[in-house]
Amino acid sequence: MTPPPLSRRGVLAGAASLGAALTPTAASAAPASAAGSGRAPKKAVVFRDVRPFGAKEAVDLTVVDGRISDGPAPRGAKVVDGGGRLALPSLVDAHIHPDKTSWGGDWVTRKPASGIAEYCAQDVELFRSQKRPVGERAYGLMAHAVTRGTRAMRAHADVAPAYGLAGLEGVAEARERLADALDVQIVGFPQHGVIRTPGTAKLLEDAARSGLVDMIGGIDPISFDHALDEQLDLVFDLADRYGVGVDIHLHDRDEKGTTVLRGIIERTRALSLRGKVTVSHVFCLPFLPDGELDTTAGDLADLDIALTTVAPNESLVLPITKLQEHGVRVGLGSDGVRDSWSPFGNADMLHRAHILGWVTDVRLDDELTSCYTVGAHGGADVMGLDRAEFKPGDPADFVLVRGECVPQVVVDMPQRDMVVHGGQVVARNGELV
C-alpha cells in the first residue's frame, strides 16, 4: 500500500547531505615509520580502493589504532582490498529491545492484545516459554545487527519483578561477547511501570548501584503509571545519585505527553543533568502547532535533551529537520524485534533508514541521504559517540557496499559486503568474521 503524501511540515527536507564539506584523504600504502616514536603502532590497516560517500574517484583509507589517519601507512600495515565499493559510516541503533526477542528461535504465534498492560503480560509468557536464555537470544540479534553494519546500540532491557535483573544481565553478557565489534549502552527499562508494579523501584536502584546500567528508563508516567511526579522524581533521583543517564519512553500523543515532557525538562534543569537525558518516541511532538514546537525544541536544545524515533508511521515520526534546526540531537532505532509485541523487525538499521524515507514519502537525493544521516550520525550524537565521517581522527567504523551513491543505497539496501569496527573487519557478506 502506497503511503499518503507528506502533508505536514517536512520531516527531512532541507537536512544537510551526509558527505557535505568532507574530503576523504587518499592515504599512501607505501611503507613508512610511525610518526614520532619510530615504531609501528599496534594496529595499522589500509583499505585500498574505496569510495567514501560514493565519491567518483576511489581512494585508500589508512587506519591507525582504530582511527582514520591522514599520514602515510606505517610499515607493515595490513592491506584490505575494497574493490571500488562505497564506504559509508556504520549505523547506530539508538533504541532497541534485544532482551525481548525470539530472534533465531522457533516461530511464536501471537495472541490479540490491547494496551501496554496486556503486552506486558504476553512478554512474561514469552520469557517463561523460551528455552534459550536472554544472553543467547540477545547475542544472536546483536550479532546480526553487526553484520548489517551497526556500530553501536542503546539496548533497553526490562526490569520488573517477573524477571529480576535477568534481562539486564543477559544483554550485558551479549555486550561482552561482542565487545570488539559493537558499542552498547544498556538502559534499565521498567516496562511494567515504576510505581504500579511494586518491587520495580528497588530493582532499578539495585541495577544503578551495581553499575549494570548506563541509564535508567521510565514509561508514560501519567497514562500508564498514573504517578507523574512519583515516577519522574524516582527516576531522576537515581540518575543523579548514581551518575547514570535517563531514557524515558513517552507514547502519549496529547497534553499528557506534553505535560510529561515539561516535567522532564524541569527536572533536567533542576538536577543539572544537561546532556544526560533522552526521551524516546515522543509521539506528542508531531502534533504540536509550529509555535509550541519551536518553544519546546528550544528548551530541549538548551538542556541538550536528546530524542529518538523508530519512524513507526508518517504521523508519529518526529519532525527531525525542525528539531535539528534548533540543535536537538535526534537518533533512529529499531525498537522491538520479533517479540511478543510484533512479529516484525530485523535490527537492520539500513532497512530502518529506508523505512524512514518510505513513511515520510521522500524522493529527492538530499532527503534520502538525510535518512542515512539520521541513522548514522544522529544515533552517534544521541549516544555521545564520535561521528564516523572519514575525517582524520574519526573512528574507523564503516561499511563497504556495492552501489552508485548514498540515495541509491538507502533505496536498494544492498548486502553489507564488509563491516569495519575500530579499523578491524568484523563481518563479511552477512557473517561475523
Side-chain angles (χ1 to χ4, degrees), residues 178-345:
L178 291 165
D180 293 333
L182 183 68
D183 298 323
V184 181
Q185 293 175 353
I186 300 178
V187 183
F189 174 48
Q191 176 74 80
H192 297 186
V194 177
I195 307 304
R196 67 181 283 158
T197 305
T200 301
K202 183 180 184 304
L203 287 169
L204 289 173
E205 182 166 11
D206 290 344
R209 183 191 298 114
S210 68
L212 194 55
V213 297
D214 302 288
M215 313 191 85
I216 293 292
I219 180 169
D220 298 328
I222 296 177
S223 63
F224 184 62
D225 225 7
H226 307 298
L228 171 64
D229 291 330
E230 195 172 356
Q231 181 190 132
L232 291 184
D233 286 348
L234 190 150
V235 168
F236 275 82
D237 177 65
L238 289 177
D240 187 44
R241 280 194 288 140
Y242 294 105
V244 296
V246 171
D247 193 328
I248 293 180
H249 284 56
L250 183 55
H251 303 101
D252 296 316
R253 308 177 190 186
D254 52 18
E255 69 278 357
K256 290 190 292 292
T258 54
T259 298
V260 172
L261 193 56
R262 181 57 52 189
I264 290 170
I265 290 170
E266 291 170 354
R267 286 163 176 82
T268 302
R269 180 180 291 113
L271 293 173
S272 300
L273 290 176
R274 186 181 190 280
K276 298 187 68 175
V277 175
T278 301
V279 191
S280 296
H281 304 308
V282 213
F283 291 157
C284 59
L285 282 183
F287 298 99
L288 292 181
D290 284 341
E292 189 174 351
L293 176 61
D294 286 335
T295 299
T296 302
D299 290 339
L300 294 170
D302 181 57
L303 293 168
D304 196 17
I305 296 174
L307 308 177
T308 64
T309 182
V310 299
N313 56 51
E314 188 272 338
S315 65
L316 296 180
V317 65
L318 290 175
I320 296 172
T321 298
K322 172 73 75 170
L323 291 164
Q324 289 177 334
E325 287 172 354
H326 284 275
V328 179
R329 293 176 290 142
V330 184
L332 183 66
S334 293
D335 209 9
V337 178
R338 299 194 189 177
D339 52 24
S340 67
W341 294 62
S342 173
F344 294 101

Side-chain angles (χ1 to χ4, degrees), residues 357-368:
W358 180 276
V359 302
T360 54
D361 195 34
V362 303
R363 55 188 295 274
L364 304 180
D365 280 3
D366 64 339
E367 295 172 330
L368 290 165

